[in-house]
Amino acid sequence: MQTVAFWILLLVFVGAFAAQVARRVQLIAAAPGTIALDQLGARSSRFLLDVVLQRRTIRERPLAGLMHALVFWGFVAFGGYTLTEFLHGLGIVDLTETGWFHAYRIALTPFAIGVLTGILYLLVRRAIVRPVGLGTKVSLESVVIALFIATLMITFLLTFRLDEASMAGRVNWWVHAIVILVFMALIPASKHLHLVLSPITVFLKSPELGNLPNLDFEKEQVGLETVKDLGSKSALDAFTCVECGRCQVNCPAWGAGKELNPKTIILQTQAALLEGQRDRKLGEVYSEQVLWQCTTCGACENQCPVGIEHLPILIGSRRGLVSNGDAPDYLGAMYNNLERRSNIWGLGYDQRTKFIQSAALEIFDPAKHDVLVWLGCAGSFDADFQKSLRSLFAILRAKEVTFGVLSKERCNGDPAKRTGNEYMYQELANGNIEDLKAAAPKKILTSCPHCVKTIGNDYRKFGYEVEVVHTSVFVEELTRDARSAKASAERPNVTFHDPCYLGRYAGTVDEPRALITRFGGVISEPERNRDNPYCCGAGGGLLFADKEEEPGARISDVRFKQLQETGAATVVTACPFCSIMLKGAGASAQSDTQFVDLMTYVNGKLQPRA
Ligand code: SF4
Ligand code: SF4
């Protein structure tokens, strides 16, 4: 009788589970695009770290993350127990009297206590403490699921006190079994679907942060225009979101009070898919204004514990808008400059030539020079940044490194690519690749983290591979001999602003700090630093967008305040665009904070050659 009742309940609840899962699987399968499975080694190691060891969950929120990890590890440990009890309950096979099962049950006891502790902590946090990233409403579903999990652990622990054949023992067994079945039926329509999907999304997430495959114009690809254009990984991501809010609280646009919230983007995607809005324009689903607020800093993707990729959705939607001529006016002006003059300011290349002459630079010759120095738009045209490049040249000359530059450079294409103008990006990239192939450098040196990412990384998608090194990394290695530093009693207190494309994208966080301390500085670290910095506001081609008339505060003002709060009188930067944005914010605040590029800082303290 008991077996028959259990079979009926199992079929009802498994049926409910399967029907809801099938709907989501159907939506994911109907989405275009294939799921990449390259770089299996990198994917497997991330799976081990982020799923098995729960690295990302614990790193961002240590205590809450550890409590979550206890629940996760407990779930995994209980898998065999649940299966064995179900096989027994269904009358298939009874292994519950075996010796190994008794030992297994005893071994599960600490896991049960861990899960109970973890889930009660998370319940109190979600229902009473309510951190901002979790939203303003207490989710009833989360409370019910937490109570279910607690019930499962309590009923398990009671099996050690109750005789299974007694009435109390039987009631306890049924409560445990029914809670599992109801839990299973609730999972697909809730954020707890991440229990099933997150190991898959973490494995499928691109090993490259902010991965944006090139559009193939021969296949008439134009980017994402409507809901049905969203790729299969994006559809999978939409059903995996656990609504933890890590992406939200780390987003500089959201932090500055703008409308963009990366968590909302994922939940809006989920709703649009479930509601079958296949032909709805993505500019309406998310709002065009929101799509233009992303700086592509990568914080959302980098912090997400379940492998969700926001940038393919955000930049993909921008591509769709640009292909329909729906870019904001300031971008129209920038595209015009890029088209006519191949640089974002639209300045004449005679200015670059004058700089090359005044700095006595040679044109690169692989037989004569160790490295090619890539000037970039800022190095070619921004007088302030040229001072920093002159410092770099002085360091290279002092250390007898031979170098040259290209006679002509175009913008690397990053502002076009990340604002969705893929056609313009490919034009610029292909022109540069042709010139670089002709010059044949083995190593390119640049002070711009966006050039490191675009030339060193994104150009690989065209089959062009070259080593591109940021000057902080190169000069750090070059000046390791202690005699490089001038002896000085002065130990200035400085703060270092990690550029997103250097700290987060390239993982270069130690070298700039090693240089600052080697050359006498004492670093006061700001809030948000190293591989999780707060953006300056210029990323994603938004150099011309972070204006006072935009909604919310300027991202650069928020960042400048964080840097000011360190108490340091000097901010050291290592990106021309961070430098422009932060200097602007400093001027608006009428602050007397000094801004120094890393190369200028080092050159000022380098021991002159004897
Ligand atoms: S990339 Fe940065 S700015 Fe864009 S949504 Fe993510 S966190 Fe926000
Ligand atoms: S997208 Fe990722 S980080 Fe953001 S709320 Fe969802 S699970 Fe959390």
Side-chain angles (χ1 to χ4, degrees):
M1 186 61 196
Q2 180 169 323
T3 305
V4 174
F6 194 50
W7 267 106
I8 293 169
L9 283 175
L10 184 80
L11 291 174
V12 168
F13 286 109
V14 168
F17 173 83
Q20 297 186 76
V21 168
R23 167 100 179 101
R24 285 153 181 81
V25 170
Q26 201 181 27
L27 288 165
I28 296 164
T34 48
I35 284 182
L37 279 174
D38 57 337
Q39 302 185 56
L40 285 175
R43 288 174 193 276
S44 305
S45 84
R46 189 174 51 209
F47 183 87
L48 181 69
L49 290 169
D50 287 348
V51 177
V52 180
L53 299 178
Q54 297 275 289
R55 171 188 63 171
R56 218 166 282 259
T57 313
I58 296 172
R59 195 174 60 183
E60 160 86 357
R61 298 170 182 168
L63 185 54
L66 182 65
M67 293 298 146
H68 180 276
L70 290 177
V71 176
F72 169 75
W73 292 326
F75 257 72
V76 175
F78 266 89
Y81 174 83
T82 305
L83 181 67
T84 308
E85 285 289 355
F86 268 45
L87 290 174
H88 170 47
L90 293 167
I92 296 171
V93 59
D94 183 7
L95 301 171
T96 57
E97 294 305 323
T98 57
W100 68 263
F101 188 72
H102 285 296
Y104 178 31
R105 279 180 68 226
I106 291 166
L108 283 177
T109 312
F111 283 98
I113 294 166
V115 173
L116 199 52
T117 311
I119 204 66
L120 291 177
Y121 173 89
L122 294 173
L123 178 61
V124 169
R125 184 170 178 271
R126 196 168 270 271
I128 299 168
V129 181
R130 292 157 67 183
V132 65
L134 296 180
T136 47
K137 277 196 292 183
V138 181
S139 150
L140 179 64
E141 167 209 303
S142 296
V143 174
V144 170
I145 298 268
L147 292 176
F148 274 12
I149 295 172
T151 306
L152 287 176
M153 295 305 110
I154 291 167
T155 48
F156 167 76
L157 291 170
L158 282 175
T159 61
F160 291 96
R161 302 297 301 265
L162 300 173
D163 177 2
E164 205 191 313
S166 69
M167 176 59 86
R170 284 210 300 280
V171 168
N172 189 53
W173 190 93
W174 273 102
V175 170
H176 189 93
I178 289 172
V179 166
I180 289 180
L181 291 173
V182 178
F183 184 43
M184 188 165 65
L186 284 180
I187 281 178
S190 75
K191 61 178 178 276
H192 294 87
L193 189 56
H194 82 278
L195 288 168
V196 182
L197 296 183
S198 62
I200 306 170
T201 44
V202 169
F203 189 78
L204 294 180
K205 181 180 180 178
S206 167
E208 180 190 338
L209 178 63
N211 181 29
L212 300 169
N214 291 342
L215 288 183
D216 186 340
F217 297 114
E218 287 184 4
K219 292 188 181 153
E220 298 185 359
Q221 292 178 340
V222 292
L224 311 177
E225 292 177 288
T226 59
V227 172
K228 64 175 177 298
D229 298 332
L230 288 162
S232 40
K233 172 63 167 54
S234 297
L236 178 64
D237 285 350
F239 297 119
T240 311
C241 179
V242 63
E243 300 175 35
C244 65
R246 283 175 171 83
C247 56
Q248 172 185 329
V249 298
N250 283 286
C251 174
W254 184 84
K258 302 192 188 297
E259 296 102 323
L260 172 61
N261 178 345
K263 170 176 158 180
T264 306
I265 294 284
I266 300 304
L267 297 180
Q268 285 168 330
T269 308
Q270 185 190 102
L273 286 166
L274 283 173
E275 288 162 19
Q277 304 173 351
R278 287 177 56 77
D279 294 316
R280 190 161 172 223
K281 290 199 162 136
L282 292 172
E284 283 170 26
V285 174
Y286 310 123
S287 112
E288 289 187 22
Q289 170 136 318
V290 160
L291 289 172
W292 296 114
Q293 289 172 353
C294 171
T295 69
T296 72
C297 71
C300 47
E301 279 191 24
N302 207 38
Q303 295 302 120
C304 180
V306 296
I308 287 172
E309 295 171 88
H310 305 72
L311 286 166
I313 299 178
L314 292 162
I315 307 304
S317 303
R318 285 181 176 180
R319 285 171 165 175
L321 291 175
V322 170
S323 70
N324 284 303
D326 289 332
D329 290 346
Y330 69 85
L331 283 182
M334 185 179 81
Y335 295 154
N336 201 19
N337 291 338
L338 285 170
E339 195 172 342
R340 283 177 39 252
R341 301 284 180 106
S342 305
N343 68 80
I344 51 174
W345 289 291
L347 296 168
Y349 266 85
D350 53 323
Q351 295 199 29
R352 181 178 184 272
T353 309
K354 275 187 203 148
F355 174 59
I356 289 177
Q357 286 164 352
S358 70
L361 303 179
E362 294 178 16
I363 299 304
F364 180 76
D365 176 350
K368 208 168 136 196
H369 299 123
D370 300 326
V371 293
L372 184 152
V373 175
W374 180 270
L375 301 179
C377 288
S380 301
F381 301 107
D382 183 70
D384 243 15
F385 197 65
Q386 286 175 349
K387 287 184 204 152
S388 152
L389 285 186
R390 285 179 198 274
S391 299
L392 168 70
F393 303 147
I395 296 166
L396 296 179
R397 285 171 180 140
K399 290 291 175 183
E400 297 175 1
V401 175
T402 57
F403 62 95
V405 297
L406 288 186
S407 58
K408 187 178 173 215
E409 281 178 12
R410 296 161 196 82
C411 168
N412 64 42
D414 161 272
K417 184 174 183 73
R418 290 179 224 289
T419 53
N421 194 332
E422 180 71 7
Y423 185 80
M424 184 165 283
Y425 162 68
Q426 293 197 16
E427 289 258 302
L428 292 163
N430 283 320
N432 283 329
I433 289 170
E434 204 175 299
D435 291 346
L436 285 167
K437 277 184 178 167
K442 287 205 173 56
K443 186 180 279 191
I444 296 177
L445 199 54
T446 177
S447 277
C448 175
H450 297 266
C451 294
V452 173
K453 159 77 175 140
T454 308
I455 302 172
N457 210 301
D458 296 347
Y459 283 10
R460 286 188 193 172
K461 295 190 172 98
F462 296 99
Y464 176 69
E465 291 202 22
V466 66
E467 186 187 0
V468 184
V469 184
H470 188 258
T471 44
S472 61
V473 176
F474 191 83
V475 171
E476 190 279 320
E477 208 181 323
L478 205 61
T479 57
R480 279 190 191 159
D481 56 337
R483 282 181 309 152
S484 288
K486 273 183 203 165
S488 168
E490 190 199 348
R491 307 271 301 163
N493 180 18
V494 304
T495 187
F496 179 66
H497 164 74
D498 294 272
C500 295
Y501 277 72
L502 191 66
R504 186 177 291 113
Y505 277 84
T508 299
V509 295
D510 292 329
E511 292 87 345
R513 288 173 172 78
L515 281 171
I516 292 171
T517 47
R518 182 178 303 156
F519 290 97
V522 178
I523 303 174
S524 295
E525 291 287 353
E527 157 186 0
R528 297 289 298 271
N529 60 355
R530 298 181 68 85
D531 64 354
N532 191 26
Y534 194 93
C535 186
C536 70
L542 299 198
L543 178 67
F544 304 108
D546 197 25
K547 300 268 184 284
E548 265 144 9
E549 59 270 23
E550 292 287 314
R554 291 195 307 184
I555 294 174
S556 51
D557 289 342
V558 177
R559 181 50 168 168
F560 176 65
K561 196 157 174 281
Q562 292 172 357
L563 295 167
Q564 252 191 330
E565 279 165 5
T566 63
T570 304
V571 174
V572 180
T573 58
C575 167
F577 299 104
C578 294
S579 177
I580 291 170
M581 299 307 280
L582 295 175
K583 277 180 190 170
S588 299
Q590 298 183 328
S591 154
D592 47 15
T593 301
Q594 299 290 308
F595 297 89
V596 182
D597 181 84
L598 188 58
M599 291 302 111
T600 305
Y601 175 86
V602 170
N603 188 43
K605 307 202 179 259
L606 195 69
Q607 185 80 273
R609 223 172 353 148

PDB file of all heavy atoms in Angstrom, residues 208-233:
ATOM      1  N   GLU A 208      36.890  33.469 -21.882  1.00  0.00           N
ATOM      2  CA  GLU A 208      37.289  34.865 -22.097  1.00  0.00           C
ATOM      3  C   GLU A 208      36.206  35.798 -21.539  1.00  0.00           C
ATOM      4  O   GLU A 208      35.038  35.706 -21.927  1.00  0.00           O
ATOM      5  CB  GLU A 208      37.441  35.073 -23.610  1.00  0.00           C
ATOM      6  CG  GLU A 208      37.855  36.466 -24.003  1.00  0.00           C
ATOM      7  CD  GLU A 208      37.760  36.677 -25.515  1.00  0.00           C
ATOM      8  OE1 GLU A 208      37.777  35.699 -26.278  1.00  0.00           O
ATOM      9  OE2 GLU A 208      37.639  37.838 -25.903  1.00  0.00           O
ATOM     10  N   LEU A 209      36.598  36.699 -20.641  1.00  0.00           N
ATOM     11  CA  LEU A 209      35.641  37.663 -20.081  1.00  0.00           C
ATOM     12  C   LEU A 209      35.136  38.571 -21.205  1.00  0.00           C
ATOM     13  O   LEU A 209      35.913  39.070 -22.009  1.00  0.00           O
ATOM     14  CB  LEU A 209      36.342  38.496 -19.004  1.00  0.00           C
ATOM     15  CG  LEU A 209      35.536  39.601 -18.331  1.00  0.00           C
ATOM     16  CD1 LEU A 209      34.353  39.048 -17.569  1.00  0.00           C
ATOM     17  CD2 LEU A 209      36.424  40.416 -17.399  1.00  0.00           C
ATOM     18  N   GLY A 210      33.834  38.801 -21.246  1.00  0.00           N
ATOM     19  CA  GLY A 210      33.256  39.687 -22.261  1.00  0.00           C
ATOM     20  C   GLY A 210      33.480  39.173 -23.669  1.00  0.00           C
ATOM     21  O   GLY A 210      33.794  39.949 -24.567  1.00  0.00           O
ATOM     22  N   ASN A 211      33.299  37.881 -23.861  1.00  0.00           N
ATOM     23  CA  ASN A 211      33.556  37.295 -25.188  1.00  0.00           C
ATOM     24  C   ASN A 211      32.507  37.770 -26.202  1.00  0.00           C
ATOM     25  O   ASN A 211      31.309  37.583 -26.008  1.00  0.00           O
ATOM     26  CB  ASN A 211      33.510  35.762 -25.066  1.00  0.00           C
ATOM     27  CG  ASN A 211      33.798  35.087 -26.393  1.00  0.00           C
ATOM     28  OD1 ASN A 211      34.518  35.630 -27.233  1.00  0.00           O
ATOM     29  ND2 ASN A 211      33.236  33.912 -26.590  1.00  0.00           N
ATOM     30  N   LEU A 212      32.977  38.400 -27.281  1.00  0.00           N
ATOM     31  CA  LEU A 212      32.070  38.899 -28.322  1.00  0.00           C
ATOM     32  C   LEU A 212      32.547  38.376 -29.667  1.00  0.00           C
ATOM     33  O   LEU A 212      33.402  38.995 -30.307  1.00  0.00           O
ATOM     34  CB  LEU A 212      32.095  40.434 -28.353  1.00  0.00           C
ATOM     35  CG  LEU A 212      31.675  41.157 -27.070  1.00  0.00           C
ATOM     36  CD1 LEU A 212      32.001  42.630 -27.165  1.00  0.00           C
ATOM     37  CD2 LEU A 212      30.190  40.959 -26.834  1.00  0.00           C
ATOM     38  N   PRO A 213      32.061  37.243 -30.095  1.00  0.00           N
ATOM     39  CA  PRO A 213      32.496  36.724 -31.399  1.00  0.00           C
ATOM     40  C   PRO A 213      32.229  37.748 -32.496  1.00  0.00           C
ATOM     41  O   PRO A 213      31.264  38.513 -32.426  1.00  0.00           O
ATOM     42  CB  PRO A 213      31.638  35.473 -31.590  1.00  0.00           C
ATOM     43  CG  PRO A 213      31.165  35.100 -30.229  1.00  0.00           C
ATOM     44  CD  PRO A 213      31.067  36.381 -29.456  1.00  0.00           C
ATOM     45  N   ASN A 214      33.119  37.775 -33.513  1.00  0.00           N
ATOM     46  CA  ASN A 214      32.922  38.701 -34.636  1.00  0.00           C
ATOM     47  C   ASN A 214      31.622  38.366 -35.360  1.00  0.00           C
ATOM     48  O   ASN A 214      31.252  37.194 -35.470  1.00  0.00           O
ATOM     49  CB  ASN A 214      34.066  38.555 -35.645  1.00  0.00           C
ATOM     50  CG  ASN A 214      35.376  39.076 -35.082  1.00  0.00           C
ATOM     51  OD1 ASN A 214      35.394  39.825 -34.106  1.00  0.00           O
ATOM     52  ND2 ASN A 214      36.474  38.670 -35.692  1.00  0.00           N
ATOM     53  N   LEU A 215      30.960  39.376 -35.887  1.00  0.00           N
ATOM     54  CA  LEU A 215      29.803  39.111 -36.741  1.00  0.00           C
ATOM     55  C   LEU A 215      30.309  38.692 -38.118  1.00  0.00           C
ATOM     56  O   LEU A 215      31.334  39.191 -38.583  1.00  0.00           O
ATOM     57  CB  LEU A 215      28.939  40.366 -36.886  1.00  0.00           C
ATOM     58  CG  LEU A 215      28.130  40.799 -35.661  1.00  0.00           C
ATOM     59  CD1 LEU A 215      27.286  42.016 -35.998  1.00  0.00           C
ATOM     60  CD2 LEU A 215      27.235  39.676 -35.145  1.00  0.00           C
ATOM     61  N   ASP A 216      29.590  37.768 -38.728  1.00  0.00           N
ATOM     62  CA  ASP A 216      29.951  37.345 -40.083  1.00  0.00           C
ATOM     63  C   ASP A 216      28.983  38.038 -41.048  1.00  0.00           C
ATOM     64  O   ASP A 216      27.818  37.653 -41.172  1.00  0.00           O
ATOM     65  CB  ASP A 216      29.831  35.807 -40.174  1.00  0.00           C
ATOM     66  CG  ASP A 216      30.327  35.284 -41.509  1.00  0.00           C
ATOM     67  OD1 ASP A 216      30.400  36.090 -42.463  1.00  0.00           O
ATOM     68  OD2 ASP A 216      30.622  34.079 -41.595  1.00  0.00           O
ATOM     69  N   PHE A 217      29.482  39.059 -41.744  1.00  0.00           N
ATOM     70  CA  PHE A 217      28.591  39.847 -42.604  1.00  0.00           C
ATOM     71  C   PHE A 217      28.156  39.061 -43.836  1.00  0.00           C
ATOM     72  O   PHE A 217      27.110  39.334 -44.405  1.00  0.00           O
ATOM     73  CB  PHE A 217      29.248  41.171 -42.984  1.00  0.00           C
ATOM     74  CG  PHE A 217      29.499  42.042 -41.770  1.00  0.00           C
ATOM     75  CD1 PHE A 217      30.790  42.335 -41.366  1.00  0.00           C
ATOM     76  CD2 PHE A 217      28.444  42.520 -41.019  1.00  0.00           C
ATOM     77  CE1 PHE A 217      31.011  43.098 -40.239  1.00  0.00           C
ATOM     78  CE2 PHE A 217      28.652  43.290 -39.881  1.00  0.00           C
ATOM     79  CZ  PHE A 217      29.948  43.581 -39.487  1.00  0.00           C
ATOM     80  N   GLU A 218      29.000  38.090 -44.212  1.00  0.00           N
ATOM     81  CA  GLU A 218      28.592  37.279 -45.377  1.00  0.00           C
ATOM     82  C   GLU A 218      27.362  36.444 -45.059  1.00  0.00           C
ATOM     83  O   GLU A 218      26.597  36.077 -45.939  1.00  0.00           O
ATOM     84  CB  GLU A 218      29.751  36.389 -45.823  1.00  0.00           C
ATOM     85  CG  GLU A 218      30.800  37.238 -46.510  1.00  0.00           C
ATOM     86  CD  GLU A 218      31.935  36.459 -47.074  1.00  0.00           C
ATOM     87  OE1 GLU A 218      31.895  35.215 -47.015  1.00  0.00           O
ATOM     88  OE2 GLU A 218      32.866  37.106 -47.560  1.00  0.00           O
ATOM     89  N   LYS A 219      27.190  36.149 -43.767  1.00  0.00           N
ATOM     90  CA  LYS A 219      25.987  35.397 -43.353  1.00  0.00           C
ATOM     91  C   LYS A 219      24.875  36.361 -42.927  1.00  0.00           C
ATOM     92  O   LYS A 219      23.929  35.960 -42.246  1.00  0.00           O
ATOM     93  CB  LYS A 219      26.328  34.463 -42.195  1.00  0.00           C
ATOM     94  CG  LYS A 219      27.243  33.328 -42.602  1.00  0.00           C
ATOM     95  CD  LYS A 219      27.390  32.348 -41.470  1.00  0.00           C
ATOM     96  CE  LYS A 219      28.330  31.224 -41.861  1.00  0.00           C
ATOM     97  NZ  LYS A 219      28.993  30.631 -40.701  1.00  0.00           N
ATOM     98  N   GLU A 220      25.079  37.626 -43.246  1.00  0.00           N
ATOM     99  CA  GLU A 220      24.091  38.676 -42.953  1.00  0.00           C
ATOM    100  C   GLU A 220      23.791  38.795 -41.458  1.00  0.00           C
ATOM    101  O   GLU A 220      22.652  39.062 -41.058  1.00  0.00           O
ATOM    102  CB  GLU A 220      22.809  38.453 -43.770  1.00  0.00           C
ATOM    103  CG  GLU A 220      23.094  38.519 -45.255  1.00  0.00           C
ATOM    104  CD  GLU A 220      21.842  38.432 -46.101  1.00  0.00           C
ATOM    105  OE1 GLU A 220      20.755  38.310 -45.540  1.00  0.00           O
ATOM    106  OE2 GLU A 220      21.987  38.490 -47.324  1.00  0.00           O
ATOM    107  N   GLN A 221      24.812  38.550 -40.629  1.00  0.00           N
ATOM    108  CA  GLN A 221      24.613  38.727 -39.191  1.00  0.00           C
ATOM    109  C   GLN A 221      24.666  40.220 -38.870  1.00  0.00           C
ATOM    110  O   GLN A 221      25.590  40.914 -39.316  1.00  0.00           O
ATOM    111  CB  GLN A 221      25.697  37.983 -38.421  1.00  0.00           C
ATOM    112  CG  GLN A 221      25.588  36.478 -38.546  1.00  0.00           C
ATOM    113  CD  GLN A 221      26.705  35.749 -37.822  1.00  0.00           C
ATOM    114  OE1 GLN A 221      27.751  36.307 -37.520  1.00  0.00           O
ATOM    115  NE2 GLN A 221      26.484  34.481 -37.554  1.00  0.00           N
ATOM    116  N   VAL A 222      23.703  40.701 -38.085  1.00  0.00           N
ATOM    117  CA  VAL A 222      23.676  42.132 -37.766  1.00  0.00           C
ATOM    118  C   VAL A 222      23.583  42.382 -36.257  1.00  0.00           C
ATOM    119  O   VAL A 222      23.462  43.518 -35.826  1.00  0.00           O
ATOM    120  CB  VAL A 222      22.489  42.849 -38.460  1.00  0.00           C
ATOM    121  CG1 VAL A 222      22.662  42.897 -39.948  1.00  0.00           C
ATOM    122  CG2 VAL A 222      21.162  42.209 -38.074  1.00  0.00           C
ATOM    123  N   GLY A 223      23.645  41.340 -35.455  1.00  0.00           N
ATOM    124  CA  GLY A 223      23.479  41.530 -34.011  1.00  0.00           C
ATOM    125  C   GLY A 223      22.089  41.113 -33.586  1.00  0.00           C
ATOM    126  O   GLY A 223      21.331  40.528 -34.361  1.00  0.00           O
ATOM    127  N   LEU A 224      21.757  41.427 -32.333  1.00  0.00           N
ATOM    128  CA  LEU A 224      20.475  40.983 -31.763  1.00  0.00           C
ATOM    129  C   LEU A 224      19.429  42.082 -31.907  1.00  0.00           C
ATOM    130  O   LEU A 224      19.625  43.183 -31.390  1.00  0.00           O
ATOM    131  CB  LEU A 224      20.650  40.646 -30.280  1.00  0.00           C
ATOM    132  CG  LEU A 224      21.827  39.731 -29.916  1.00  0.00           C
ATOM    133  CD1 LEU A 224      21.899  39.552 -28.411  1.00  0.00           C
ATOM    134  CD2 LEU A 224      21.687  38.383 -30.609  1.00  0.00           C
ATOM    135  N   GLU A 225      18.349  41.772 -32.599  1.00  0.00           N
ATOM    136  CA  GLU A 225      17.289  42.771 -32.764  1.00  0.00           C
ATOM    137  C   GLU A 225      16.052  42.429 -31.933  1.00  0.00           C
ATOM    138  O   GLU A 225      15.482  43.281 -31.287  1.00  0.00           O
ATOM    139  CB  GLU A 225      16.911  42.887 -34.245  1.00  0.00           C
ATOM    140  CG  GLU A 225      18.049  43.494 -35.074  1.00  0.00           C
ATOM    141  CD  GLU A 225      17.708  43.540 -36.546  1.00  0.00           C
ATOM    142  OE1 GLU A 225      17.696  42.470 -37.179  1.00  0.00           O
ATOM    143  OE2 GLU A 225      17.460  44.636 -37.049  1.00  0.00           O
ATOM    144  N   THR A 226      15.654  41.173 -31.979  1.00  0.00           N
ATOM    145  CA  THR A 226      14.443  40.779 -31.241  1.00  0.00           C
ATOM    146  C   THR A 226      14.760  39.593 -30.323  1.00  0.00           C
ATOM    147  O   THR A 226      15.845  39.007 -30.404  1.00  0.00           O
ATOM    148  CB  THR A 226      13.313  40.352 -32.206  1.00  0.00           C
ATOM    149  OG1 THR A 226      13.798  39.258 -32.974  1.00  0.00           O
ATOM    150  CG2 THR A 226      12.921  41.478 -33.139  1.00  0.00           C
ATOM    151  N   VAL A 227      13.788  39.247 -29.491  1.00  0.00           N
ATOM    152  CA  VAL A 227      13.986  38.180 -28.492  1.00  0.00           C
ATOM    153  C   VAL A 227      14.417  36.873 -29.163  1.00  0.00           C
ATOM    154  O   VAL A 227      15.263  36.145 -28.640  1.00  0.00           O
ATOM    155  CB  VAL A 227      12.689  37.992 -27.670  1.00  0.00           C
ATOM    156  CG1 VAL A 227      12.783  36.786 -26.760  1.00  0.00           C
ATOM    157  CG2 VAL A 227      12.397  39.248 -26.863  1.00  0.00           C
ATOM    158  N   LYS A 228      13.902  36.603 -30.351  1.00  0.00           N
ATOM    159  CA  LYS A 228      14.239  35.303 -30.964  1.00  0.00           C
ATOM    160  C   LYS A 228      15.693  35.250 -31.454  1.00  0.00           C
ATOM    161  O   LYS A 228      16.187  34.185 -31.789  1.00  0.00           O
ATOM    162  CB  LYS A 228      13.275  34.961 -32.100  1.00  0.00           C
ATOM    163  CG  LYS A 228      13.297  35.875 -33.294  1.00  0.00           C
ATOM    164  CD  LYS A 228      12.359  35.294 -34.377  1.00  0.00           C
ATOM    165  CE  LYS A 228      12.258  36.186 -35.586  1.00  0.00           C
ATOM    166  NZ  LYS A 228      11.695  37.518 -35.326  1.00  0.00           N
ATOM    167  N   ASP A 229      16.384  36.405 -31.475  1.00  0.00           N
ATOM    168  CA  ASP A 229      17.797  36.416 -31.873  1.00  0.00           C
ATOM    169  C   ASP A 229      18.733  36.025 -30.724  1.00  0.00           C
ATOM    170  O   ASP A 229      19.920  35.776 -30.952  1.00  0.00           O
ATOM    171  CB  ASP A 229      18.220  37.817 -32.356  1.00  0.00           C
ATOM    172  CG  ASP A 229      17.429  38.249 -33.584  1.00  0.00           C
ATOM    173  OD1 ASP A 229      17.004  37.370 -34.342  1.00  0.00           O
ATOM    174  OD2 ASP A 229      17.232  39.470 -33.761  1.00  0.00           O
ATOM    175  N   LEU A 230      18.216  36.038 -29.489  1.00  0.00           N
ATOM    176  CA  LEU A 230      19.087  35.719 -28.340  1.00  0.00           C
ATOM    177  C   LEU A 230      19.640  34.302 -28.481  1.00  0.00           C
ATOM    178  O   LEU A 230      18.895  33.367 -28.763  1.00  0.00           O
ATOM    179  CB  LEU A 230      18.297  35.843 -27.037  1.00  0.00           C
ATOM    180  CG  LEU A 230      17.941  37.272 -26.605  1.00  0.00           C
ATOM    181  CD1 LEU A 230      16.816  37.262 -25.588  1.00  0.00           C
ATOM    182  CD2 LEU A 230      19.175  37.973 -26.031  1.00  0.00           C
ATOM    183  N   GLY A 231      20.944  34.154 -28.263  1.00  0.00           N
ATOM    184  CA  GLY A 231      21.594  32.854 -28.471  1.00  0.00           C
ATOM    185  C   GLY A 231      21.245  31.832 -27.402  1.00  0.00           C
ATOM    186  O   GLY A 231      20.680  32.168 -26.351  1.00  0.00           O
ATOM    187  N   SER A 232      21.598  30.572 -27.662  1.00  0.00           N
ATOM    188  CA  SER A 232      21.215  29.491 -26.754  1.00  0.00           C
ATOM    189  C   SER A 232      21.852  29.635 -25.370  1.00  0.00           C
ATOM    190  O   SER A 232      21.217  29.347 -24.364  1.00  0.00           O
ATOM    191  CB  SER A 232      21.551  28.137 -27.366  1.00  0.00           C
ATOM    192  OG  SER A 232      22.770  28.196 -28.025  1.00  0.00           O
ATOM    193  N   LYS A 233      23.116  30.135 -25.328  1.00  0.00           N
ATOM    194  CA  LYS A 233      23.734  30.299 -23.999  1.00  0.00           C
ATOM    195  C   LYS A 233      23.012  31.403 -23.221  1.00  0.00           C
ATOM    196  O   LYS A 233      22.813  31.297 -22.004  1.00  0.00           O
ATOM    197  CB  LYS A 233      25.231  30.610 -24.164  1.00  0.00           C
ATOM    198  CG  LYS A 233      25.964  30.984 -22.877  1.00  0.00           C
ATOM    199  CD  LYS A 233      25.996  29.871 -21.845  1.00  0.00           C
ATOM    200  CE  LYS A 233      26.972  30.081 -20.697  1.00  0.00           C
ATOM    201  NZ  LYS A 233      26.875  31.294 -19.956  1.00  0.00           N
TER     202      LYS A 233
END
